[in-house]
């Protein structure tokens, strides 16, 4: 029995994500997505009127999965310093391929894709920027559970996000799979202030 229309759409998104994440968006053509997914070209264009529309759907897909995963890691611990541990322990698991929901680590999908769509006003670049804003908002919401000053919370959140982004880049570009643990030490020193 064939897949439903929504199942085929999801298959296209998941297949495209796996290919884009491993090889890069511009390095993967529509025909490769079709061959890998086994979906007909007509079906692809029924769901997506262009490659950019498929890319936008893939960015949304990864955004939802990543945020859901990170939120679940935060929910698993009590408020307080454990939230900081949870953030960097989650990154450590991701960098070291212990998170099956996220695929083996190939850097940050959003950093990679935004680099391929370098113009800040390009819609896909903006989608990637919104993902980073949503992750920062999630981290800030976790900090607000333990801090009384919204201004201090925002400042610490910005620093934690810089540490997080630096760890992701260090892990990907330099292969330092311990980058999250190093960033966690710096974050905990910050929180001791």
């Amino acid at each position: 029995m064939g897949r439903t229309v929504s199942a085929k759409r999801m298959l296209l998104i998941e297949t495209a994500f796996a290919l884009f994440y491993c090889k890069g968006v511009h390095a993967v053509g529509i025909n490769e997505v079709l061959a890998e997914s086994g979906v007909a070209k007509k079906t692809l264009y029924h769901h997506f009127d262009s490659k950019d529309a498929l890319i936008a759907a893939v960015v949304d897909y990864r955004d939802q999965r990543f945020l859901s995963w990170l939120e679940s890691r935060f929910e698993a611990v009590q408020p307080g310093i454990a939230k900081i541990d949870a953030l960097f322990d989650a990154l450590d698991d991701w960098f070291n391929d212990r998170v099956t929901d996220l695929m083996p680590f190939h850097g940050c999908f959003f950093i990679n894709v935004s680099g391929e769509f370098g113009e800040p006003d390009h819609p896909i670049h903006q989608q990637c920027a919104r993902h980073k804003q949503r992750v920062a908002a999630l981290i800030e919401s976790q900090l607000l559970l333990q801090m009384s000053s919204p201004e201090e919370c925002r400042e610490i959140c910005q620093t934690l996000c810089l540490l997080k982004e630096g760890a992701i880049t260090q892990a990907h570009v330099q292969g330092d799979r311990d980058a999250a643990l190093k960033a966690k030490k710096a974050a905990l020193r910050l929180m001791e202030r």
Side-chain angles (χ1 to χ4, degrees):
M1 189 168 178
R3 291 180 171 264
T4 65
V5 173
S6 60
K8 286 185 179 179
R9 183 179 194 282
M10 186 53 64
L11 175 62
L12 288 164
I13 290 170
E14 289 172 346
T15 302
F17 168 70
L19 292 168
F20 294 162
Y21 187 44
C22 293
K23 298 181 177 185
V25 172
H26 293 318
V28 175
I30 289 295
N31 288 336
E32 187 173 357
V33 173
L34 295 173
E36 189 71 25
S37 67
V39 174
K41 188 176 274 194
K42 182 178 178 183
T43 303
L44 181 135
Y45 284 111
H46 170 75
H47 294 289
F48 307 103
D49 61 6
S50 66
K51 184 179 178 184
D52 276 4
L54 175 61
I55 295 165
V58 169
V59 170
D60 280 342
Y61 164 80
R62 180 61 167 195
D63 174 57
Q64 291 168 13
R65 288 192 66 128
F66 190 90
L67 283 168
S68 176
W69 164 73
L70 188 56
E71 189 169 13
S72 74
R73 296 295 296 257
F74 282 133
E75 288 173 357
V77 299
Q78 295 297 315
I81 205 73
K83 299 288 186 178
I84 305 302
D85 285 335
L87 171 63
F88 291 100
D89 290 345
L91 293 175
D92 184 57
D93 286 344
W94 179 37
F95 299 168
N96 290 285
D97 300 329
R98 295 187 296 259
V99 184
T100 55
D101 288 351
L102 297 183
M103 289 189 55
F105 180 72
H106 291 282
C108 174
F109 183 68
F110 305 95
I111 293 172
N112 299 347
V113 172
S114 68
E116 292 194 58
F117 294 88
E119 291 298 320
D121 61 344
H122 192 285
I124 292 172
H125 186 98
Q126 291 176 353
Q127 268 186 286
C128 294
R130 282 191 299 273
H131 166 78
K132 294 298 186 180
Q133 292 163 355
R134 282 192 283 273
V135 171
L138 175 59
I139 294 168
E140 188 171 341
S141 74
Q142 299 301 307
L143 291 174
L144 280 169
L145 298 173
Q146 69 192 57
M147 301 178 75
S148 57
S149 166
E151 295 79 23
E152 183 183 19
C153 180
R154 194 167 300 111
E155 180 184 320
I156 289 175
C157 179
Q158 289 172 351
T159 303
L160 291 175
C161 286
L162 287 171
L163 287 169
K164 172 185 71 71
E165 294 301 322
I168 292 168
T169 302
Q170 184 86 0
H172 180 59
V173 176
Q174 296 183 309
D176 182 357
R177 297 302 170 110
D178 291 329
L181 300 179
K182 294 171 184 173
K184 180 167 92 167
K185 285 181 186 175
L188 293 174
R189 282 195 298 272
L190 170 71
M191 294 306 288
E192 288 170 4
R193 273 194 316 147

